[in-house]
Amino acid sequence: MAQSLPADVHPHHYWHWLRKEYDLGDFYYFDVWPMGPPTLIICEPDIAEQVTVKHSLDKHPMVKAYLKQHLGSENMAAANGVVWRKARAIYNPGFAIPHLMTVISNIVEDVLVFHEVLSELAESQEVFQMESTAMKLSFDVIGRLVLNLGLNSQRSTNELVNAFRKQLHFLSSANTWSSPLAGFNPIQQWKIEANSRVIHRCLGSILDSRFAQLDRSKEKDGGGCCIMDKALYTYNAETRGLQNDTK
């Protein structure tokens, strides 16, 4: 399978290739014993909806092990049950449609920069990777929405974005059945830890700043203008409520 696809192809293409190559159905099992547990591959959106939306099943423990070295042992992406629902409730206000409508103009600004970058590359006739170019747009939009931060990674170098992009490279290869020895590569582990330190330092400084700026005037309005502000406001409100209940 690996020899039939480009070396840098996204892993999701593996399952589509297998389905076509062996004329498989809308779902099938993929067993890589003894390198990993059997996996149910679902290729039909309606079936996937049954286990992710209508009946949200718990994530496999392998997900937590896979993300641990990148996101820590306790992270929302690998959480289940009460922990996941509580984390989602804290972030829900920031993803509400009325709030998202207020930040569309900021998203448009980043998309216009993306349009300019593509136009310049087209005029130069330079060969470039669309994925990395589009990823910078994604980082800029996410930075604005989540942290109200202008990363400007499409036009300049940003330490946080660079560390995240390097980490994503290792995320695609570490702790998976496709590269079982990745976790034993000391050089790769050192690079992952180094990137993690940069990410934690940058995000820690940003979060401390956002937390400090949540003054009374913002709290009266239900939080600030970004998703993290609203999450911090919701968390603080819940914490104060619990403290009042225990008095």
Side-chain angles (χ1 to χ4, degrees):
M1 177 172 62
Q3 295 178 348
S4 302
L5 295 169
D8 59 350
V9 70
H10 194 283
H12 287 176
H13 287 286
Y14 294 160
W15 320 124
H16 178 66
W17 183 89
L18 282 172
R19 185 188 187 190
K20 291 184 62 178
E21 182 72 10
Y22 296 101
D23 193 24
L24 302 174
D26 294 338
F27 60 92
Y28 59 91
Y29 272 101
F30 183 71
D31 193 350
V32 292
W33 185 90
M35 299 170 63
T39 304
L40 174 62
I41 308 299
I42 299 176
C43 305
E44 175 58 44
D46 290 338
I47 300 176
E49 184 182 23
Q50 294 293 325
V51 297
T52 58
V53 180
K54 293 183 178 180
H55 307 281
S56 183
L57 303 182
D58 284 352
K59 303 175 183 70
H60 193 279
M62 192 175 183
V63 175
K64 189 171 185 176
Y66 176 65
L67 295 175
K68 179 179 179 179
Q69 63 180 316
H70 302 280
L71 303 178
S73 58
E74 301 298 332
N75 64 81
M76 185 176 176
N80 292 304
V82 175
V83 175
W84 179 81
R85 286 193 292 272
K86 184 175 178 60
R88 179 176 177 178
I90 290 175
Y91 284 96
N92 271 346
F95 289 95
I97 295 299
H99 170 65
L100 292 178
M101 293 298 292
T102 65
V103 295
I104 287 180
S105 59
N106 293 333
I107 297 176
V108 170
E109 289 182 21
D110 290 321
V111 173
L112 288 175
V113 174
F114 181 64
H115 177 267
E116 293 174 0
V117 170
L118 291 183
S119 297
E120 293 168 4
L121 289 170
E123 292 178 2
S124 68
Q125 297 187 349
E126 175 186 353
V127 177
F128 68 97
Q129 288 189 334
M130 176 62 80
E131 181 182 13
S132 61
T133 305
M135 187 181 295
K136 292 178 182 178
L137 167 63
S138 298
F139 275 115
D140 285 351
V141 170
I142 292 171
R144 286 184 184 273
L145 292 180
V146 178
L147 299 169
N148 192 28
L149 189 67
L151 297 174
N152 193 31
S153 64
Q154 298 184 88
R155 289 297 192 184
S156 63
T157 300
N158 184 281
E159 183 181 26
L160 176 61
V161 173
N162 287 344
F164 257 118
R165 292 184 63 196
K166 292 176 183 177
Q167 206 75 324
L168 288 173
H169 167 72
F170 294 121
L171 183 63
S172 66
S173 61
N175 289 335
T176 68
W177 57 263
S178 60
S179 53
L181 299 180
F184 298 97
N185 185 333
I187 296 178
Q188 177 167 307
Q189 293 302 309
W190 179 85
K191 290 181 179 179
I192 290 174
E193 292 175 3
N195 288 328
S196 295
R197 287 194 294 270
V198 173
I199 293 171
H200 291 165
R201 173 172 53 79
C202 292
L203 288 182
S205 176
I206 294 168
L207 291 177
D208 287 343
S209 175
R210 301 309 303 176
F211 192 84
Q213 292 179 28
L214 273 180
D215 54 26
R216 294 182 181 275
S217 61
K218 287 183 178 179
E219 290 188 358
K220 290 179 181 179
D221 296 330
C225 60
C226 68
I227 290 173
M228 187 55 63
D229 285 348
K230 292 189 172 295
L232 289 173
Y233 169 80
T234 303
Y235 175 79
N236 286 343
E238 289 187 0
T239 302
R240 285 195 298 269
L242 289 173
Q243 291 173 345
N244 292 335
D245 290 341
T246 57
K247 290 182 179 179

